[in-house]
Amino acid sequence: MKTWRLLSGHWLFWKLNIFENVPLTLLTSLLTICQLPTTAQSTTQRLDSLFAALQDEQRLNGTVLVAEQGKVIYQKSFGFAQVNTKILNRDDTRFQLASIGKTFTAVAILQLYEQKKLKLDDALINYLPDFPFATITIRQLLSHTAGLPDLQIFEPYIRDNPARILTNADVIPALKKFGKLPFEPGERWSYSNPGYCLLALVVEKLTKMPFHTYLNSHVWQASSMPNTYPCSIPTAKVDPKRAESYQPIFFSSQLQLVDTMQRYHPLLVNFGGLQGLGFIASTANDLWSFDRALYSGRLLKAQTLALAFTPTRLKNGNQADVERNKVTYGLGWFIGQDTTIGKRVWHSGFIPGGSTLFLRNLTRQQTVVILTNAESDGLQESGENVLKLLTNRHLAPEKKSLAKQYVRALFEQGPDYGAARFMSMRTDTAHYRFSPAEMDYAGHQFLLNGYTSQALETLKILTFAESQAWQPYTSYAEVLQLIGKKAEAVIMYQKSLSLNATNERVRQALTQLLSEK
């Protein structure tokens, strides 16, 4: 289209014969100027179309910022910050960042590394002597290769005291109680939130400052981020500009407030005193300021950032793959292996009631920030599509969520039609994407909203679709147990254990059920 307009412009000027005495250089400049708004408008329109489509599919309720070469080229907000009061999301709305907050923790540790207060290959016990695993290093914690478990280490504490607010002081005792590592440090990559809590403890130990005080002084203020602060349900300050957190209901167009949902109490309340892993509120503009501070060297030296953006190596010399041949991990950042459009680094985040993405193309200095206050699937794909659009790459049509299509078919037309639609869509991989986790989530949504038969049907279908995974059998068993079908629940728990014999939670549930017979 741009070429056609340029040629048309030449033809028009020639036909009217009004520029025959104008110097060629001036004429060329005039033509170039005429083209600039058209190109900019085209980019804006394409971005608008991309995000409007996501909003129509209930995949975007939040705010978007796109920057290139130090300038914001697109910024727009979608949906509601507060549904009941009809307050819209805006550019200055504060969102829960979730795990994007780990990038601040990584910056803090790397600042101390630059100051020679620590070495990346130092053992953690050099700084936290009570830590029970002597060979785990700072580098392994930063890169999620330490072999540490995740938040399941806190389950006994919450069982014993459902009202307990966990803090970083509980991490080492919980690890000691958990007892063993899932794998040896440096053997593979596995995401661990407690690992970043430990890094926050290191920052406090070396700086003699509370962790968030350090972040505020040395990261947020240094990056001109006035709207960024710690935020969890137990610790949140009153902020009328902060978005409430919602959960979209797959089988309707409603949004449900998640803060009071009992199933999310551990993640949102019990874990709300933990630091270093997330629980930070901010705006899209503040994250862009953070982006500029990283580029300018205000936070870290260029060689330190290069280290952070280099794929971690395991003990066997292989890269620490997050997704084989596609995604690796550095020191606090995911790293894309395909560099066709440039070197991409990012961090995403998820928390009940919100999904987030902070994506950077280092080669072209392009930045995409997407912050939502209603869980949004496929955010990474959407961000990647923005970068493709900016580099004039072909965008493959975004695939629809099979889980969402299925639950609507089930809800509106019954189990037989739903099953038929599921089987049809499952094989149509060109147009639909299947996420077992999303399907499991949909089943629990049915259950929470009182649609027990639809919940059972959804989770039953999932066991057929993912017959070699233990999680679907566990979810199905839990619902069967809830409605009193103990014999069926026992069979499903047994099947789950046959696929994952180390799952103590499932073993305990099964033991309890058998004792009730």
Side-chain angles (χ1 to χ4, degrees), residues 42-64:
S42 174
T43 300
T44 301
Q45 287 177 336
R46 292 175 71 193
L47 288 168
D48 260 336
S49 297
L50 175 66
F51 291 116
L54 293 175
Q55 186 184 31
D56 288 345
E57 292 181 13
Q58 280 188 284
R59 293 174 59 193
L60 180 58
N61 190 91
T63 194
V64 177

Side-chain angles (χ1 to χ4, degrees), residues 156-373:
Y157 293 82
I158 298 171
R159 264 198 315 270
D160 294 343
N161 181 5
R164 181 168 180 167
I165 306 301
L166 294 152
T167 70
N168 284 6
D170 296 309
V171 176
I172 291 178
L175 285 168
K176 288 179 177 178
K177 191 171 185 177
F178 192 80
K180 62 179 182 179
L181 298 175
F183 59 89
E184 286 299 308
E187 282 190 352
R188 55 189 171 94
W189 186 90
S190 182
Y191 199 80
S192 174
N193 283 287
Y196 269 68
C197 297
L198 293 168
L199 292 172
L201 289 173
V202 171
V203 172
E204 292 186 332
K205 181 74 175 287
L206 294 178
T207 64
K208 304 293 190 291
M209 298 170 66
F211 179 65
H212 287 145
T213 301
Y214 180 89
L215 289 187
N216 187 55
S217 299
H218 297 273
V219 181
W220 301 334
Q221 288 185 17
S223 302
S224 301
M225 300 171 68
N227 302 297
T228 303
Y229 57 86
C231 178
S232 66
I233 289 178
T235 64
K237 65 180 184 180
V238 176
D239 183 356
K241 290 188 176 182
R242 188 171 64 244
E244 293 180 332
S245 299
Y246 297 96
Q247 182 182 78
I249 302 176
F250 282 10
F251 50 89
S252 77
S253 58
Q254 294 178 319
L255 293 174
Q256 287 183 318
L257 190 65
V258 303
D259 290 2
T260 56
M261 290 184 182
Q262 187 58 36
R263 70 173 297 201
Y264 297 131
H265 192 272
L267 280 172
L268 298 177
V269 180
N270 299 116
F271 297 157
L274 298 172
Q275 299 179 11
L277 72 175
F279 292 122
I280 305 293
S282 190
T283 65
N285 284 319
D286 270 21
L287 280 182
W288 183 58
S289 294
F290 179 51
D291 175 71
R292 300 314 305 158
L294 289 169
Y295 277 122
S296 68
R298 273 181 281 158
L299 297 175
L300 293 168
K301 298 174 183 176
Q303 57 265 40
T304 306
L305 284 172
L307 187 65
F309 302 147
T310 299
T312 299
R313 294 285 174 180
L314 301 174
K315 282 184 175 179
N316 61 10
N318 294 335
Q319 289 186 162
D321 281 346
V322 178
E323 186 177 356
R324 188 170 177 80
N325 297 324
K326 290 185 178 180
V327 181
T328 62
Y329 202 86
L331 303 180
W333 297 85
F334 292 97
I335 304 166
Q337 290 189 274
D338 183 355
T339 58
T340 304
I341 62 173
K343 181 165 185 174
R344 296 164 297 118
V345 300
W346 68 88
H347 216 295
S348 52
F350 173 83
I351 195 169
S355 304
T356 59
L357 177 68
F358 180 39
L359 171 63
R360 310 173 70 218
N361 184 336
L362 302 179
T363 306
R364 298 172 181 266
Q365 289 201 27
Q366 296 165 334
T367 304
V368 181
V369 178
I370 308 176
L371 306 177
T372 77
N373 60 316

Side-chain angles (χ1 to χ4, degrees), residues 113 118-124 126-127 134-140 331:
Y113 160 75
L118 62 79
K119 295 179 181 178
L120 295 178
D121 293 315
D122 281 347
L124 183 64
N126 291 357
Y127 308 97
T135 62
I136 288 178
T137 67
I138 300 290
R139 186 191 301 272
Q140 288 167 342
L331 303 180

